Amino acid sequence: MAKLEHNHKGHRQRLKKQMIESDLTSFASHNILETLLFYSIPQVDTNDIAHDLLNHFGSISGVLNATHDQLCSISGIKDNTALLIKIISEITKRYWIEQENVAKQEVFDNISKIAGFLINKYIGYNQEQAFIMYLDDNLRMITCDRLAKGQVNNVNINKRELASKIIKYNATNIIISHNHPFSDTQPSSSDFASTMDLKKFLQAIDVNLMDHIIVSGRKFSSMKQLGLI
């Protein structure tokens, strides 16, 4: 992670130059947010404001999901800055909608395509979530829905809701997934038990459970690859 000093003259120029010349993934969240704030807050140390935003809202995604009034409650954030953040939030949402539309043209016939799509899907989530990919006979994705959320290691999938969506989308194959935000991707005993229970349920309604993917950051585990499905 890039180590950056922010208390010297010319800091803004140095930081922008480093970001232009480097991979942005090497920078801490507060540096990314600090730099964004350069464009609406002139001649102020935005590093402190960036830290305040992250401390208050918990993460970049928390900042982007905050309301205009919530953002303006942070010292140093005025209407223009709150609007800039909300515009970035909306651009991000529309980007992922468009990416999902592109993904619907893919044939998800290998683990690389499936894992690549799901890893991106979980970006920004710091609570455990379950996403379901619904696919047709040709393994093209019909849609991907968030089905459940909860505490880490405690995602509950509502079978009635799942069955309703399978019928709605006329899906014949599904891939279930969830994330381990703060741990590795190794399936737990409860992950295995719930997957076997769900597989039995899906077989009864003639739907194929292709895989259960567990994501943590840029890493993943496939229960099918592990021989657990």
Side-chain angles (χ1 to χ4, degrees):
M1 184 176 294
K3 294 183 178 179
L4 302 167
E5 296 185 8
H6 63 276
N7 57 349
H8 298 293
K9 184 178 180 180
H11 167 67
R12 289 190 176 205
Q13 288 71 26
R14 287 194 300 273
L15 180 52
K16 287 191 285 187
K17 185 174 186 293
Q18 289 181 54
M19 287 190 169
I20 289 168
E21 296 175 351
S22 306
D23 180 357
L24 287 179
T25 59
S26 66
F27 289 86
S29 294
H30 71 270
N31 291 130
I32 298 290
L33 195 53
E34 171 193 5
T35 307
L36 175 65
L37 298 178
F38 289 171
Y39 298 94
S40 64
I41 306 176
Q43 300 178 340
V44 171
D45 183 358
T46 58
N47 186 278
D48 289 342
I49 300 173
H51 277 290
D52 287 345
L53 284 166
L54 291 171
N55 289 338
H56 187 83
F57 296 110
S59 64
I60 287 282
S61 60
V63 173
L64 293 180
N65 287 330
T67 67
H68 183 95
D69 288 346
Q70 287 172 334
L71 291 167
C72 288
S73 71
I74 303 300
S75 178
I77 300 294
K78 306 298 182 184
D79 285 340
N80 283 347
T81 301
L83 179 58
L84 175 64
I85 292 171
K86 296 312 297 177
I87 288 171
I88 297 296
S89 176
E90 185 60 27
I91 288 172
T92 302
K93 291 173 184 175
R94 296 190 188 199
Y95 170 81
W96 285 116
I97 289 171
E98 291 176 7
Q99 287 295 101
E100 188 162 314
N101 288 337
V102 170
K104 288 179 182 179
Q105 307 306 313
E106 289 277 0
V107 176
F108 285 94
D109 55 356
N110 66 68
I111 188 61
S112 295
K113 291 180 182 178
I114 295 167
F117 173 78
L118 288 170
I119 285 170
N120 287 332
K121 195 75 176 173
Y122 282 103
I123 290 174
Y125 286 102
N126 54 16
Q127 257 194 329
E128 191 162 317
Q129 315 280 332
F131 279 101
I132 314 293
M133 295 174 65
Y134 299 86
L135 301 99
D136 62 18
D137 287 333
N138 298 315
L139 303 185
R140 293 189 185 276
M141 187 176 69
I142 301 163
T143 192
C144 180
D145 280 350
R146 186 175 67 169
L147 188 62
K149 63 179 179 179
Q151 298 300 315
V152 175
N153 298 323
N154 191 31
V155 162
N156 296 305
I157 295 177
N158 185 309
K159 293 178 184 175
R160 179 176 294 180
E161 182 182 353
L162 176 58
S164 175
K165 290 191 174 184
I166 287 170
I167 294 169
K168 175 183 177 181
Y169 300 134
N170 195 27
T172 53
N173 297 280
I174 72 166
I175 299 166
I176 66 173
S177 65
H178 77 279
N179 61 329
H180 287 173
F182 306 111
S183 62
D184 62 28
T185 62
Q186 186 66 27
S188 66
S189 57
S190 61
D191 290 335
F192 176 73
S194 62
T195 301
M196 293 302 99
D197 181 58
L198 186 59
K199 182 179 180 180
K200 183 177 179 181
F201 167 75
L202 292 169
Q203 285 174 333
I205 58 174
D206 200 27
V207 174
N208 176 42
L209 176 60
M210 290 175 58
D211 208 339
H212 183 166
I213 306 293
I214 301 171
V215 173
S216 182
R218 303 302 298 177
K219 298 179 181 180
F220 75 95
S221 288
S222 158
M223 291 184 69
K224 182 176 182 180
Q225 280 191 329
L226 293 171
L228 299 176
I229 293 181

